[in-house]
């Protein structure tokens, strides 16, 4: 079986060596083979695994969620479990979109209200809107 060094893996995957070692520590990457001199040697398919991790992170999956998906993949697990993870992620994303839409609406309104002139002591709609949201969050918890 052909193997590659951590530097080669980093270059081929676009993931820094330090991140690769971190993913190993976090059990997202299997422990690599070691040479007699204790250098890491990875199978060529480690490139695809790293790219999966990167893409999943870009989609907003947490390391724990990515780990779960990889465990399912490695064990030829049940697709229903992968679907459940994806459904939960979609729900969270939709909640984030709702939240960001509310923030966007408030920020757009305050930018219209703010003249951009005068000292801050006279009040600033932008700062006041942010403070109001912080107060609202405090009241809801």
């Amino acid at each position: 079986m052909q193997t590659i060094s951590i530097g080669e893996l980093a270059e081929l995957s676009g993931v820094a060596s330090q991140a690769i070692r971190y993913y190993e520590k976090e059990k997202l990457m299997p422990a690599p083979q070691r040479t007699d001199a204790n250098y890491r040697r990875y199978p060529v398919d480690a490139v695809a695994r790293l790219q999966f991790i990167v893409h999943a992170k870009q989609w907003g999956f947490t390391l724990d969620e990515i780990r779960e998906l990889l465990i399912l993949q490695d064990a030829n697990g049940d697709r229903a479990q992968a679907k459940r993870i994806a459904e939960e992620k979609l729900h969270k994303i939709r909640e984030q979109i709702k939240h960001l839409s509310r923030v966007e609406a408030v920020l757009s309104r305050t930018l219209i209200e703010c003249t951009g002139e005068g000292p801050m002591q006279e009040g600033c709609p932008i700062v006041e809107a942010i403070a109001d949201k912080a107060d609202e969050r405090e009241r809801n918890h």
Side-chain angles (χ1 to χ4, degrees), residues 2-14 17 20 41 47:
Q2 180 188 0
T3 62
I4 55 178
S5 69
I6 193 168
E8 292 167 321
L9 179 57
E11 187 175 323
L12 290 169
S13 66
S17 298
I20 294 169
R41 297 299 298 181
V47 173

Side-chain angles (χ1 to χ4, degrees), residues 4-108:
I4 55 178
S5 69
I6 193 168
E8 292 167 321
L9 179 57
E11 187 175 323
L12 290 169
S13 66
V15 176
S17 298
Q18 184 178 359
I20 294 169
R21 287 189 289 272
Y22 176 74
Y23 293 148
E24 279 177 38
K25 188 180 121 209
E26 291 296 316
K27 307 284 190 239
L28 297 170
M29 294 291 294
Q33 296 176 359
R34 297 283 187 150
T35 66
D36 292 339
N38 206 29
Y39 289 110
R40 290 172 167 88
R41 297 299 298 181
Y42 296 88
V44 176
D45 64 359
V47 173
R49 188 175 184 103
L50 277 171
Q51 289 172 336
F52 173 84
I53 294 167
V54 169
H55 293 154
K57 283 180 60 181
Q58 290 171 343
W59 283 24
F61 285 90
T62 65
L63 293 185
D64 286 339
E65 292 164 338
I66 296 168
R67 187 179 305 102
E68 280 187 75
L69 289 170
L70 288 169
I71 288 169
L72 287 170
Q73 179 71 24
D74 293 345
N76 195 22
D78 187 6
R79 286 183 182 175
Q81 290 178 288
K83 183 174 181 175
R84 176 193 51 79
I85 294 166
E87 286 171 339
E88 288 173 8
K89 177 52 63 184
L90 181 59
H91 175 74
K92 289 177 185 174
I93 288 170
R94 286 179 173 157
E95 289 299 315
Q96 289 174 324
I97 289 170
K98 286 180 192 175
H99 171 73
L100 287 173
S101 292
R102 289 190 298 268
V103 170
E104 187 269 341
V106 171
L107 190 54
S108 292

